[in-house]
């Protein structure tokens, strides 16, 4: 069976909270967007996107394996929409992010540069994909309206 991705619904955030904290990640709040990966109705990955200091940021990722991580990174562009998305990654994870369309950056907002330096991480940015959906279309799809076409 294949892995599917979908946005978490607000009622699921309470259940996801423990899963994130058990993985050493920050628990999602209702202000965040969480993309889930499921296989055979079992959760196998999650990606948390936040708005922090005026930036859209991929802030937490939990993935069973590299395949799930790659799928979440690729699918995240569908749900972030027409916004640049930033992330801080380890040197080990960098190739996976580059393969998903992120670009390593030497310049960024001061807050990202400081945090990356303090944590020994690299800054990556995913530019806005040409096929990015408008925010309104994403909200309609996430609320059970017409689904976005498959990537």
């Amino acid at each position: 069976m294949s892995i599917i991705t979908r946005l978490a619904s607000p009622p699921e955030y309470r259940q996801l909270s423990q899963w994130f904290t058990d993985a050493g990640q920050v628990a999602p709040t209702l202000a965040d967007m969480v993309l889930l990966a499921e296989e055979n109705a079992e959760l196998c990955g999650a990606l948390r996107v936040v708005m922090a200091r005026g930036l859209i940021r991929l802030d937490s990722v939990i993935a069973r394996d590299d395949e799930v991580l790659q799928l979440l990174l690729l699918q995240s562009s569908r749900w972030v929409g027409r916004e640049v998305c930033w992330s801080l990654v380890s040197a080990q994870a960098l190739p996976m992010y580059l393969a998903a369309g992120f670009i390593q950056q030497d310049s960024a907002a001061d807050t990202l540069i400081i945090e990356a330096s303090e944590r020994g991480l690299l800054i990556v940015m995913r530019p806005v994909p040409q096929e990015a959906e408008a925010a309104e279309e994403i909200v309609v799809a996430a609320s059970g309206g017409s689904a976005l076409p498959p990537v």
Side-chain angles (χ1 to χ4, degrees):
M1 187 159 237
S2 65
I3 299 169
I4 62 161
T5 59
R6 66 176 180 83
L7 284 180
S9 65
E12 292 175 302
Y13 280 46
R14 181 171 284 159
Q15 297 165 320
L16 291 170
S17 178
Q18 188 66 50
W19 197 59
F20 271 83
T21 56
D22 287 349
Q25 303 287 335
V26 176
T29 70
L30 291 177
D32 302 336
M33 181 199 75
V34 178
L35 180 63
L36 301 176
E38 298 173 319
E39 186 172 40
N40 299 326
E42 295 276 329
L43 196 57
C44 59
L47 177 143
R48 177 176 163 259
V49 176
V50 301
M51 170 69 87
R53 298 182 180 106
L55 302 172
I56 300 291
R57 213 173 134 178
L58 192 161
D59 199 52
S60 303
V61 180
I62 303 169
R64 164 187 77 197
D65 54 36
D66 286 349
E67 177 187 5
V68 173
L69 174 60
Q70 186 72 28
L71 179 63
L72 285 168
L73 291 174
L74 290 169
Q75 290 293 307
S76 69
S77 66
R78 296 178 67 202
W79 300 105
V80 172
R82 294 182 183 144
E83 299 290 335
V84 169
C85 184
W86 297 87
S87 190
L88 300 179
V89 302
S90 67
Q92 178 185 1
L94 181 62
M96 191 76 65
Y97 282 76
L98 296 176
F102 285 76
I103 301 166
Q104 188 173 354
Q105 297 291 299
D106 293 324
S107 62
D110 289 345
T111 55
L112 283 178
I113 292 171
I114 292 167
E115 184 179 348
S117 176
E118 289 173 349
R119 296 177 57 200
L121 298 173
L122 303 169
I123 300 169
V124 295
M125 180 263 301
R126 195 228 45 200
V128 179
Q130 289 182 341
E131 71 280 357
E133 299 289 335
E136 298 81 17
E137 295 168 9
I138 293 169
V139 170
V140 169
S143 66
S146 299
L148 293 174
V151 172

